[in-house]
Amino acid sequence: MHLPATLTAVCALVAAAPALADPVFNRIASFATTANMAEGEDRMRETSAEIMAVTEDGMRLIYSDSPLGVIGMIDIADPRAPKPLGNIDVDGEPTTAVIRKGMAFVGVNTSESFTDPSGALRSIDLAEGRIVDSCDLGGQPDSVAIGSDMIAVAIENERDEDLGDGGLPQMPAGFVALLPLTDAGVDCAAMTRVDLTGLAEIAPEDPEPEFLDINDAGEIVVTLQENNHIVVIGADGAIASHFSAGSVDLDGIDVAEEGALDFTGQLRDVPREPDAVKWLDADHFVTANEGDWNGGSRGFTVFARDGGVVFDSGNGFDRAVAAIGHYPEHRSENKGAEPEAVTVATFDGQRLLFVASERGSVVGVYDATDPAQPRLLQMLPSGIGPEGLVAIPARNLFATANETDLGEDGGARAHVMIFERAEGQAAYPTVTSEGSDPLIGWGALSGLAMDPAQPGTLFAVSDSAYHTQPAIFTIDATQTPARITAKTVLTRDGAPAAAIDLEGIAPDGQGGFWLASEGNADKDVPHLVLQVGADGAILREFDLPEALVAHRKRFGFEGIALHEGKLWIAVQREWGDDPAGQTKLLQLDPATGEWSGVRYPLESGEGWVGLSELTVHGDHLYLIERDNLIGDAAVLKTVTRVAMADLQPAPLGGDLPLVAKEVVRDLIPDLRRWKGYVQDKVEGMAISDGGQVWIVTDNDGVDDASGETFLWSFDLP
């Protein structure tokens, strides 16, 4: 497989394509919520895009931004170039919103305490950008839904999760508020309450309605998440039926937060505790079973209106998230992939179901034409923390609102992401372990190498995100997407190796590998060079040479390559004995244990700049040099090279020669081709004998990250 340098074949690095009859969604734009902030406003303030709605003409999106206390607006007349329309202050904390005839109806939490909840339904004229009416709801609103003649609001009156064990009951009880629609908006005076007490088996005196939806007949389905209960309210406002959401047994899942991915565990009798709910048709609705204080079944369920379970995803959704590297291992003892949002829409006669994993930051798209047999079509990269889902079938569009904002920590901002449905192939994922048995869990790919014996095969390593399970992955890059076919765990004395942070890999020419461990003295993780056998058993270890021990810093070994019997190792950033703006390229002779090195000039920039990888090809040593910035702030993600003839290493402890470098390729245009924000961690590189360069990004183990992994290739110039 040999892709052209123009990267026009990036889209060929795709997910296993759905059946040819199924068009696919691909991301076409991303919108950072900071774009809606006014000139002079502090752009480092936390923002959010939580729950979203679309105007009836499909040309404008609005989203709730709780940290700023506003509704944000986006012009999507050109969905590939969304434009900011600014924010509207709602005088409180917005939860959800719906739209009718140019009017947005926004649930706003104004509570001063958990025991004295309050809230309002604000009516906002979107053309004028101002509040024109407000209804006192008598409690804290969560979800808002709109029907042909009324608005329904779930008054959750949420509990204090820090009180006791965070469980129920915690009064006052929640209820559903119904407000009739008029030509002018809503009739506040005619608001009625639907009492939900006495229904659930769990804390019947304290129902906490979480989410609701209205069907064409005016019937309302309501989830009581913490109560693990579902209520159907008739068009007359009376309770038509109610039932427990039930529980499930799960096999083949990860159940321990131990720094490893192991999908062989099981859980029994897990309450579903559903969050979002949507009518699938007149007789069925679907729930996203996020879980809460007492469970989380990690999937979604299709119910008949009488409470019968028509379909449950079991472990399927959780494992689909894991297969594309998005599984949040740090949530294994809680809710796994944590499905939270769900929506339903019909595109060209095909009934589609969208399920979002909040912690995995991905959306599953299912064909739900048969409610009893939803069929997974694809997985969409969404941004961090998808909460709001909007389908716009008339324009073949779909959008996600992603609530997590990591700007204060130098991470990605909250985003709205836009997808278009069309004929073709899915551009994501680029790597998958789908079909492996047992399922191969993976993520945080931090180093890359070619298999010298098998063209089209790559080897990768994972970093300290999985600190109890350092591993080598075998990747078949001749398939689209590339397939992870094997996982080899490193062992020391027969047990999984500990205190290893793999960042580089190179075949040793004997069927095994040379590996580089970054090291972090603050966490007792040594800087190491290791030789391992084909089975992952550690054969030899080389510690940091004495000349460098006194000057070591956290940012250590970030790549390794074998050339003419000697190893080259990149040091990520300056250590204590380096001049400003320079780092080291170290050489290790494994036959003698002797170390030497040269200095490498780093570019200057915002944040920090360092090396992520190195490999040898022909007469040059190729490196990845990058900054640690993300999104619009990212400036430097490059492939550079140094002539091997210029690498004349000197003994450590004295002056080291400074090498000259040449920039080969700017990787930022490549990263933008997936239409998300620019990822910061471009960390792996391998080059074939024919000059095909493979690059992979590190998804940080889906911890405060979107989980997206991009693997792509281009030809050397």
Side-chain angles (χ1 to χ4, degrees):
M1 183 178 180
H2 199 68
L3 301 183
T6 59
L7 269 185
T8 54
V10 162
C11 289
L13 298 170
V14 295
L20 293 179
D22 295 319
V24 298
F25 289 92
N26 279 315
R27 186 166 53 195
I28 59 173
S30 297
F31 178 91
T33 52
T34 51
N36 265 331
M37 300 179 79
E39 185 176 352
E41 193 171 355
D42 180 6
R43 289 181 177 265
M44 293 309 296
R45 289 185 62 191
E46 181 185 1
T47 70
S48 182
E50 189 169 1
I51 305 299
M52 194 161 53
V54 63
T55 54
E56 290 155 308
D57 62 2
M59 296 296 176
R60 180 185 295 193
L61 294 170
I62 69 169
Y63 59 87
S64 59
D65 186 334
S66 175
L68 293 184
V70 301
I71 291 295
M73 301 183 293
I74 310 172
D75 178 350
I76 59 167
D78 179 357
R80 287 175 172 77
K83 298 177 182 177
L85 295 175
N87 294 324
I88 302 173
D89 194 312
V90 297
D91 191 22
E93 178 190 2
T95 54
T96 56
V98 294
I99 298 174
R100 183 186 189 221
K101 296 181 179 180
M103 192 79 71
F105 302 97
V106 185
V108 178
N109 179 18
T110 60
S111 303
E112 295 185 359
S113 71
F114 290 104
T115 56
D116 187 21
S118 63
L121 185 72
R122 312 278 198 224
S123 300
I124 297 176
D125 187 314
L126 294 176
E128 297 183 7
R130 65 183 183 90
I131 298 172
V132 296
D133 196 10
S134 184
C135 302
D136 182 356
L137 294 172
Q140 171 255 320
D142 197 336
S143 173
V144 180
I146 190 166
S148 60
D149 60 359
M150 69 173 171
I151 287 177
V153 184
I155 306 299
E156 183 180 10
N157 291 344
E158 63 185 353
R159 73 194 192 284
D160 182 351
E161 296 185 16
D162 295 326
L163 181 62
D165 62 359
L168 301 181
Q170 290 187 31
M171 308 306 285
F175 56 91
V176 169
L178 303 180
L179 298 95
L181 284 166
T182 68
D183 291 339
V186 293
D187 186 347
C188 298
M191 185 184 81
T192 60
R193 295 188 181 195
V194 180
D195 181 14
L196 303 175
T197 59
L199 303 179
E201 296 176 5
I202 299 171
E205 71 275 31
D206 182 22
E208 288 197 11
E210 182 77 22
F211 209 98
L212 43 71
D213 190 38
I214 305 176
N215 65 14
D216 291 342
E219 299 166 309
I220 304 168
V221 59
V222 187
T223 58
L224 312 184
Q225 184 173 1
E226 289 79 11
N227 309 87
N228 197 38
H229 210 75
I230 298 173
V231 178
V232 178
I233 301 170
D236 59 357
I239 293 175
S241 64
H242 67 92
F243 44 86
S244 169
S247 62
V248 297
D249 294 335
L250 298 171
D251 293 293
I253 60 172
D254 191 341
V255 297
E257 297 171 16
E258 81 285 43
L261 293 169
D262 178 7
F263 294 92
T264 61
Q266 61 178 226
L267 292 172
R268 293 290 177 263
D269 199 26
V270 183
R272 290 191 172 96
E273 295 189 340
D275 187 334
V277 62
K278 284 287 181 179
W279 287 96
L280 188 56
D281 56 34
D283 299 311
H284 303 90
F285 51 83
V286 58
T287 61
N289 304 324
E290 180 197 14
D292 208 290
W293 65 288
N294 194 35
S297 67
R298 308 180 183 219
F300 64 92
T301 306
V302 178
F303 289 94
R305 59 187 306 116
D306 63 0
V309 174
V310 174
F311 173 84
D312 190 279
S313 64
N315 67 7
F317 182 69
D318 216 43
R319 289 169 66 89
V321 171
I324 63 169
H326 279 250
Y327 182 78
E329 198 279 329
H330 57 287
R331 300 292 290 176
S332 292
E333 291 178 3
N334 296 290
K335 312 169 194 177
E338 202 162 329
E340 181 165 0
V342 64
T343 198
V344 176
T346 301
F347 286 79
D348 295 326
Q350 186 179 29
R351 195 65 167 163
L352 297 181
L353 165 64
F354 303 84
V355 182
S357 164
E358 179 189 11
R359 302 287 180 159
S361 296
V362 69
V363 177
V365 184
Y366 293 79
D367 180 343
T369 304
D370 180 355
Q373 294 182 319
R375 175 171 61 96
L376 179 62
L377 299 177
Q378 64 180 125
M379 303 290 279
L380 305 179
S382 74
I384 308 177
E387 285 264 357
L389 309 179
V390 168
I392 313 173
R395 301 187 65 198
N396 279 324
L397 299 176
F398 173 71
T400 65
N402 302 277
E403 69 170 340
T404 303
D405 188 333
L406 302 172
E408 290 185 356
D409 298 320
R413 307 310 301 261
H415 277 77
V416 169
M417 295 192 170
I418 302 172
F419 304 79
E420 183 178 49
R421 185 175 187 259
E423 299 293 336
Q425 290 185 311
Y428 196 83
T430 60
V431 188
T432 181
S433 64
E434 181 184 2
S436 57
D437 186 18
L439 178 66
I440 297 173
W442 66 276
L445 301 183
S446 56
L448 208 59
M450 300 295 304
D451 183 345
Q454 185 65 46
T457 298
L458 300 169
F459 298 114
V461 290
S462 57
D463 66 20
S464 60
Y466 309 107
H467 57 90
T468 67
Q469 194 184 66
I472 300 169
F473 298 91
T474 303
I475 303 174
D476 180 357
T478 67
Q479 300 191 53
T480 52
R483 296 272 173 168
I484 294 178
T485 58
K487 178 179 182 178
T488 304
V489 177
L490 264 63
T491 59
R492 182 185 283 120
D493 300 327
I500 291 177
D501 178 11
L502 296 181
E503 295 286 350
I505 179 171
D508 66 359
Q510 304 173 46
F513 303 93
W514 287 105
L515 305 173
S517 175
E518 179 177 4
N520 185 342
D522 293 339
K523 296 184 178 180
D524 294 323
V525 178
H527 307 280
L528 289 175
V529 172
L530 308 101
Q531 186 178 23
V532 302
D535 61 354
I538 295 175
L539 306 176
R540 287 195 286 173
E541 300 184 43
F542 294 86
D543 291 316
L544 197 67
E546 191 64 30
L548 295 181
V549 169
H551 307 289
R552 63 183 173 180
K553 290 189 176 181
R554 168 190 166 193
F555 301 97
F557 300 161
E558 279 282 333
I560 191 167
L562 180 65
H563 180 66
E564 297 180 349
K566 296 182 180 180
L567 296 165
W568 283 98
I569 302 107
V571 179
Q572 186 181 68
R573 292 174 57 190
E574 305 98 325
W575 281 15
D577 58 339
D578 289 320
Q582 297 179 18
T583 188
K584 296 184 188 72
L585 302 178
L586 299 175
Q587 187 183 75
L588 168 64
D589 185 342
T592 64
E594 294 181 354
W595 292 78
S596 56
V598 298
R599 297 195 192 278
Y600 175 96
L602 295 169
E603 298 298 313
S604 61
E606 298 294 329
W608 57 254
V609 174
L611 299 177
S612 288
E613 177 71 291
L614 87 173
T615 190
V616 175
H617 175 73
D619 297 329
H620 291 86
L621 183 69
Y622 288 81
L623 305 104
I624 292 178
E625 184 177 347
R626 68 172 180 89
D627 58 26
N628 70 329
L629 303 178
I630 197 167
D632 293 339
V635 174
L636 181 69
K637 318 287 180 187
T638 59
V639 175
T640 68
R641 69 182 183 184
V642 176
M644 297 300 299
D646 294 341
L647 290 169
Q648 302 296 324
L652 301 180
D655 291 336
L656 301 180
L658 179 66
V659 300
K661 68 182 179 184
E662 175 189 359
V663 175
V664 176
R665 188 181 184 91
D666 180 4
L667 298 175
I668 288 181
D670 298 352
L671 291 164
R672 286 178 174 152
R673 288 176 176 259
W674 284 276
K675 303 301 182 183
Y677 53 82
V678 174
Q679 298 287 321
D680 59 333
K681 292 194 171 184
V682 186
E683 296 225 347
M685 176 174 60
I687 307 177
S688 71
D689 290 341
Q692 185 183 21
V693 183
W694 287 91
I695 304 287
V696 73
T697 60
D698 175 357
N699 74 357
D700 253 348
V702 206
D703 189 2
D704 287 338
S706 70
E708 297 176 20
T709 296
F710 297 126
L711 174 70
W712 77 99
S713 70
F714 53 86
D715 291 343
L716 286 175

